[in-house]
């Protein structure tokens, strides 16, 4: 009975994560609040069933990882409190109090935005926690990656249909620029590219796992080799077609950062697979070559606009560089306390100059933005917790003798989002952050043998 409940909760969790891109990446107040409420409900339900079944929580994850994460969350919560020492509060509250009367003040310039950002961050943590607990079952881990693959194909088909002019509206959202780039249900093409990049890594992992589990045959004769090739093509043609579609959608998004980040993540995955296979088998080579050929074909079919955007990179790099410099100045002015988690726009107003006259609500660099908002110590705690997950997967890759491809996917996905975070703010979009949390939960769960005790 417990197994049935676990499978049901895991399937609902998968649906929650894979449906989250539909309301424009869940980047709206109502959608991310609903995601947070549902993820909390699922976690409470799983904890209740665990208590009733007297089942211990799987705690093999290194304690430093949740401690660092919770330290960052705790500091973000303190930033919004009025009772903190006056020396911690931003001076603007004192100046505003002189004009408007007594104001409680806080470290954060926007305490309400702090609470919202914390809610979102905790919901990502709950998605990871559930996936980590439930995906110790290798069948659920395999099912998760295939569902992600299939969902990615569906969103890519929708995005390509919009790009080709077949569809021009989505639910209540209409935009004539849909035919300029593939963005599926996301408002921004870069966000779709970030999301589909994680999907591509999961698709490559699922494809390799499927080929790895295919029955081995000794190719002593020409006839047996032909049979082996026919069997390979019978198992591989559908996943390869799906992979071509995913890469085509990525390239047609015309997102330079998304393409570079996905390339880095995919290369990391293939490198890890090659290193794990000490004597690289013919099948491993076939899978790697197939993935590379698929990517090359999709790139050359749809890459003209993307190449043009690479040629024009210098045209908009200057504007972002100015934002980076101003953000770094803000960090140096307030390195310990920060301006408040989720309060980047409010804090950046003090640093805008004649070169950046427009409204800036994101730094287009997650590392700088988090350091600006949280302060350097808390931001480092948050970054270190994510690095700890990648190191857990790396250790699992070295330790496991089966299902090691899932920890490899966790490392590759972290490489992908880490590269993209240096150029954009994809992880601040709930649909992307939830998908990454789910993938890392599965990858970390499979970093330990299912035979290991609590």
């Amino acid at each position: 009975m417990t197994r049935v409940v676990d499978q049901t909760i895991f399937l609902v969790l998968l649906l929650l994560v894979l449906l989250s891109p539909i309301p424009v990446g869940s980047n709206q107040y109502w959608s991310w609040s609903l995601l947070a409420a549902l993820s909390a409900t699922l976690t409470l339900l799983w904890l209740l069933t665990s208590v009733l079944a007297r089942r211990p929580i799987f705690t093999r994850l290194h304690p430093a990882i949740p401690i660092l994460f919770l330290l960052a969350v705790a500091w973000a919560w303190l930033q919004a409190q009025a009772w903190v020492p006056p020396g911690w509060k931003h001076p603007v509250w004192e100046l505003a109090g002189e004009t408007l009367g007594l104001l409680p003040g806080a470290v954060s310039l926007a305490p309400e935005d702090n609470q919202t950002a914390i809610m979102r961050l905790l919901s990502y943590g709950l998605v990871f926690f559930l996936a980590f607990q439930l995906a110790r079952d290798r069948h659920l881990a395999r099912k998760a990656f295939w569902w992600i693959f299939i969902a990615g194909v569906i969103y890519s088909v929708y995005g390509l249909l919009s790009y080709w002019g077949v569809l021009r509206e989505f639910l209540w959202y209409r935009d004539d620029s849909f035919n300029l780039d593939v963005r599926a249900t996301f408002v921004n093409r870069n966000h779709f590219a970030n999301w589909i990049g994680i999907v591509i890594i999961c698709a490559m992992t699922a494809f390799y796992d499927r080929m790895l589990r295919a029955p081995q045959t000794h190719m002593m004769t020409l006839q047996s080799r032909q049979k082996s090739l026919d069997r390979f093509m019978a198992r591989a043609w559908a996943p390869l077609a799906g992979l071509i579609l995913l890469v085509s959608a990525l390239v047609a998004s015309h997102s330079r950062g998304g393409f570079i980040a996905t390339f880095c993540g995919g290369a990391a995955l293939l490198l890890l697979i090659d290193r794990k296979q000490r004597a690289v088998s013919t099948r491993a080579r076939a899978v790697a070559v197939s993935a590379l050929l698929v990517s090359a074909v999709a790139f050359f079919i749809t890459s003209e606009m993307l190449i043009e955007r690479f040629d024009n990179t210098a045209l908009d790099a200057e504007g972002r560089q100015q934002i980076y410099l101003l953000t770094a100045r803000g960090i140096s002015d307030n390195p310990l306390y920060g301006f408040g988690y989720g309060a980047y726009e409010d804090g950046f107003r003090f640093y805008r100059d004649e070169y950046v006259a427009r409204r800036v609500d994101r730094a287009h660099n997650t590392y700088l933005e988090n350091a600006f908002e949280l302060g350097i110590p808390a931001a480092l705690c948050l970054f270190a917790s994510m690095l700890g997950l990648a190191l857990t997967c790396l250790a699992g890759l070295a330790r496991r003798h089966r299902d090691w491809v899932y920890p490899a996917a966790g490392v590759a996905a972290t490489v992908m989002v880490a590269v993209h975070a240096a150029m954009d703010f994809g992880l601040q979009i709930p649909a992307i952050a939830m998908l990454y949390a789910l993938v890392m939960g599965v990858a970390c769960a499979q970093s330990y043998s299912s035979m290991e005790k609590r």
Side-chain angles (χ1 to χ4, degrees), residues 293-333:
L293 287 177
V294 164
S295 301
V297 170
F299 181 80
F300 283 113
I301 289 174
T302 58
S303 62
E304 182 178 356
M305 183 67 74
L306 180 62
I307 293 173
E308 289 181 8
R309 293 205 72 232
F310 273 114
D311 291 338
N312 295 328
T313 297
L315 297 179
D316 61 334
E318 185 176 351
R320 288 198 180 188
Q321 184 178 8
Q322 186 64 22
I323 293 175
Y324 295 162
L325 292 174
L326 295 176
T327 303
R329 185 187 303 171
I331 295 171
S332 64
D333 288 345

Side-chain angles (χ1 to χ4, degrees), residues 244-261:
I244 288 176
L245 192 67
L246 294 176
V247 176
S248 298
L250 169 68
V251 176
S253 71
H254 307 142
S255 171
R256 294 162 297 188
F259 179 81
I260 293 172

Side-chain angles (χ1 to χ4, degrees), residues 201-234:
I201 290 172
C202 293
M204 293 172 64
T205 303
F207 174 50
Y208 183 80
D209 181 57
R210 183 174 183 176
M211 295 299 104
L212 202 63
R213 290 183 291 107
Q216 296 273 7
T217 57
H218 295 288
M219 295 185 293
M220 300 299 294
T221 66
L222 182 62
Q223 185 178 8
S224 62
R225 291 180 182 179
Q226 184 63 42
K227 287 183 179 179
S228 180
L229 179 61
D230 292 342
R231 190 180 297 113
F232 176 84
M233 292 306 300

